[in-house]
Amino acid sequence: MIGLYRPGNSLLHRLPAGVKLVLLIVAILAATILVRTPVAVGAVAVVVAVLFAIARIPAKVAVAQLRPIVWMLLIIGVFQVIITSWQRAVVVCGLLLISVALAALFTLTTRISDMLDTVSRALRPLRRFGVDPERVGLMLALAIRCIPLLATIVHEVAEARKARGLQWSMTALATPVLVRALRTADAMGDALVARGVDDD
């Protein structure tokens, strides 16, 4: 999940968050522009696997980061095979998988506090244009916290739906998830107000 930091002392852990963020963006852009064949996809995938090994991230943890997008990749892959070719499908799906893996590696080796501090510092020059770096940092922190929280809500509701024998009912999933998500949002809003956030 996003924000699942794995403590360590590897080279990737010791790199500053800003440097890693820039390298992440450059790597994804370079792969998107330069990788055009299944062989190239395989070569880049090996490099990414080596980076996970350097960071000493267990294979089980690495696979867990990629599992949520498997179904999406299958759908995209089938669509690409139908309208283009299997080679293009491998390239498109491979690049998506590599991008997610690199982003996961970044979050696994970077503390959330370091990540948010880096974003806040990068946005400080925009303060003159009305951008509030601290507020943007708070928004990112809340987003990072809410993604796994929402995933937990969906999982719990899905388990409850299955226990009631309604595993194929989308209404039995969507309605409770929406209600719980809204209640959680209200509770978080009340907590922020109680702490004086946005009093100005």
Side-chain angles (χ1 to χ4, degrees):
M1 286 186 292
I2 291 179
L4 190 62
Y5 172 70
R6 299 277 300 188
N9 194 37
S10 69
L11 174 63
L12 290 176
H13 283 85
R14 295 196 302 270
L15 280 176
V19 173
K20 282 188 283 190
L21 184 58
V22 171
L23 290 175
L24 171 65
I25 295 171
V26 171
I28 292 176
L29 288 176
T32 303
I33 295 171
L34 300 176
V35 174
R36 288 288 180 266
T37 65
V39 174
V41 169
V44 176
V46 169
V47 172
V48 173
V50 170
L51 290 175
F52 271 90
I54 292 173
R56 298 185 181 90
I57 302 298
K60 183 178 180 181
V61 174
V63 171
Q65 306 302 304
L66 305 176
R67 189 179 298 122
I69 67 165
V70 169
W71 289 109
M72 182 181 71
L73 290 178
L74 287 175
I75 294 171
I76 293 174
V78 170
F79 182 73
Q80 287 292 326
V81 169
I82 293 173
I83 66 171
T84 57
S85 64
W86 69 266
Q87 292 94 336
R88 182 61 182 167
V90 171
V91 171
V92 171
C93 294
L95 286 175
L96 284 173
L97 190 64
I98 288 167
S99 298
V100 171
L102 288 172
L105 183 61
F106 173 73
T107 60
L108 288 168
T109 59
T110 310
R111 290 184 177 87
I112 296 299
S113 57
D114 295 338
M115 193 187 311
L116 296 178
D117 287 343
T118 298
V119 172
S120 296
R121 285 197 302 270
L123 292 175
R124 279 175 191 161
L126 299 178
R127 193 186 295 273
R128 69 184 67 177
F129 301 107
V131 177
D132 186 344
E134 288 72 25
R135 184 169 298 180
V136 173
L138 176 62
M139 290 171 56
L140 288 173
L142 290 174
I144 290 170
R145 175 66 188 104
C146 287
I147 290 172
L149 182 61
L150 185 59
T152 300
I153 291 174
V154 172
H155 176 72
E156 290 176 354
V157 171
E159 289 296 316
R161 179 184 65 166
K162 184 178 180 180
R164 296 196 303 270
L166 301 172
Q167 59 264 36
W168 300 112
S169 172
M170 287 305 298
T171 302
L173 176 67
T175 303
V177 166
L178 182 60
V179 170
R180 288 187 58 179
L182 291 174
R183 286 178 177 173
T184 302
D186 283 341
M188 292 180 69
D190 291 341
L192 290 172
V193 171
R195 286 161 176 78
V197 175
D198 212 22
D199 277 350
D200 55 343

